[in-house]
Amino acid sequence: MGVDIENGGKVSAEDVLARWDPVDPVELETPKEGGGTGNGLQVLSSNHRQKLNPVLLGLSGKAVQDCLPHLDIGDADELCNGELKTTSKANGSDGSEEARKAMTDILSGRRVLASKETDDAGPTYAPWSTRYVGHQFGSWAGQLGDGRAVSLLETTSDQGGRMEIQLKGSGRTPFSRTADGLAVLRSGVREFLGCEGE
């Protein structure tokens, strides 16, 4: 991190956490014609994020079908569930490992989508986070929750209504209370299983 500790230099928590900030553009292995992602977005990461090796453990075919039926998930459904139930094959996808890896990188937070257009505050589109506040146990509690939710995008469903695609525990946010914002595997598995129950 460029700190000379032997001569009295100190490392702050902010220095350590800043290594996660996605500020470096990533060259795509197979860029679209004309460069970039083909949709006005760029892919960002950091040296620290690139060291991650995310593994897709589960996939809700129903969630993909209901929320993002046109998303090419490659061979993700086959890998996770043993059969293709979603529409990715029907839409002409070759079931590639490349599409699954790209999806896994974005959903894990290893790579981040942001607009190429920027203003003084940074990209005009990028993942965002919010916090919620309220009363708890009869008195004002201020911020509730750990502030780890990161919204990737908002879309509409074929059944109607708006849906927000979120990550929880993928890294720090302005509201993650000076922590790293990461979740351990057990809480992610517990939430996934809770969502899949009918």
Side-chain angles (χ1 to χ4, degrees), residues 34-189:
T37 60
N39 56 12
L41 297 176
Q42 63 181 331
V43 181
L44 302 173
S45 192
S46 69
N47 287 335
H48 202 65
R49 284 176 184 256
Q50 288 294 96
K51 294 175 185 176
L52 299 174
N53 188 18
V55 175
L56 184 64
L57 296 177
L59 178 79
S60 172
K62 177 129 175 68
V64 173
Q65 194 171 29
D66 290 349
C67 302
L68 299 165
H70 304 296
L71 178 67
D72 183 0
I73 62 170
D75 62 359
D77 204 17
E78 185 174 23
L79 178 70
C80 293
N81 301 325
E83 59 185 82
L84 290 170
K85 296 184 240 177
T86 64
T87 58
S88 65
K89 286 285 190 183
N91 289 339
S93 169
D94 63 359
S96 69
E97 180 180 359
E98 184 180 321
R100 172 181 39 89
K101 285 183 176 181
M103 180 188 72
T104 303
D105 279 349
I106 296 299
L107 293 180
S108 69
R110 181 174 183 253
R111 294 183 174 180
V112 175
L113 293 175
S115 64
K116 291 181 182 177
E117 297 176 15
T118 62
D119 58 22
D120 291 341
T124 55
Y125 169 82
W128 67 95
S129 61
T130 58
R131 64 178 169 179
Y132 60 98
V133 298
H135 288 83
Q136 190 174 36
F137 310 117
S139 61
W140 182 253
Q143 178 179 329
L144 299 171
D146 53 14
R148 295 185 298 175
V150 176
S151 297
L152 295 179
L153 60 96
E154 185 177 61
T155 186
T156 56
S157 167
D158 290 342
Q159 289 81 21
R162 294 174 12 189
M163 297 185 184
E164 192 172 312
I165 308 301
Q166 282 190 342
L167 306 178
K168 186 169 182 184
S170 64
R172 73 179 181 148
T173 74
F175 312 114
S176 54
R177 297 179 175 160
T178 68
D180 63 10
L182 298 173
V184 296
L185 182 59
R186 71 176 174 270
S187 62
V189 170

